[in-house]
Amino acid sequence: MTESIMESFSEKDTFNIGKELGEKCKPGDIILLNGDLGVGKTVFTKGFGKGLGIEEPISSPTFTIMQIYEEGRIPLYHFDVYRIADIEEMDEIGYEDYFYGEGVCLIEWAELIEEILPDKCMSVTIEKDLEKGFDYRKITIDDRNHIKE
């Protein structure tokens, strides 16, 4: 159980870091993807999908809350809960079937649904540092158990 920090100097780097993580994931993994708007979460997710063997285009499910990709070695359930107004909306889409299913969940803006997250989650945080360049990203991957406050 560790925390690792990786540096990205381009979209390609961010994509490849996502791809590497996707290659290592197992059924039941839940990844909390954190970062401000425009930081590269979708680029990371595209790489992650590629690492799972997904060839179809991956887009952010901002307006649909969830996208399902089943063509890879394991299904990817990509959540963007930014527009969740009430936690009951997650019940309506049957989130438990996905959180505790045979695929891997990647959840953007997970802090908005903190109370329903399982204890065992991996956190990926993408941050800009303009002092290191416009395209620079610090990507922190923390696979310690998610602790609810």
Side-chain angles (χ1 to χ4, degrees):
M1 309 250 179
T2 60
E3 177 180 277
S4 58
I5 296 173
M6 297 180 203
E7 294 185 299
S8 168
F9 296 93
S10 66
E11 280 192 16
K12 184 179 179 187
D13 288 349
T14 300
F15 180 94
N16 286 333
I17 291 168
K19 182 177 182 226
E20 188 178 315
L21 185 60
E23 290 169 347
K24 294 176 182 176
C25 275
K26 315 178 291 308
D29 283 349
I30 296 178
I31 292 97
L32 313 179
L33 185 55
N34 310 297
D36 292 335
L37 289 170
V39 81
K41 292 186 301 290
T42 300
V43 171
F44 180 90
T45 301
K46 288 178 179 182
F48 186 84
K50 192 69 148 177
L52 290 171
I54 296 169
E55 296 297 329
E56 68 183 283
I58 290 180
S59 59
S60 182
T62 302
F63 296 100
T64 58
I65 300 176
M66 183 182 66
Q67 296 274 21
I68 300 173
Y69 303 93
E70 296 188 280
E71 71 173 350
R73 64 181 175 83
I74 54 177
L76 170 59
Y77 309 123
H78 181 199
F79 292 84
D80 181 334
V81 298
Y82 185 74
R83 298 192 184 285
I84 291 279
D86 189 312
I87 203 77
E88 289 176 11
E89 290 180 57
M90 291 299 290
D91 288 328
E92 291 170 15
I93 61 171
Y95 78 91
E96 289 178 325
D97 293 341
Y98 304 104
F99 284 15
Y100 303 102
E102 291 302 310
V104 58
C105 292
L106 193 137
I107 307 168
E108 297 184 41
W109 303 101
E111 64 274 9
L112 299 175
I113 59 166
E114 182 95 26
E115 61 263 34
I116 63 170
L117 292 173
D119 290 335
K120 190 170 191 261
C121 296
M122 177 185 298
S123 175
V124 174
T125 303
I126 304 174
E127 301 168 287
K128 290 182 181 182
D129 183 345
L130 294 177
E131 290 182 11
K132 294 188 176 189
F134 181 76
D135 292 326
Y136 176 85
R137 302 293 186 267
K138 174 181 154 187
I139 301 176
T140 305
I141 299 173
D142 188 348
D143 68 358
R144 295 175 288 187
N145 286 347
H146 172 73
I147 306 296
K148 296 182 185 174
E149 297 188 18

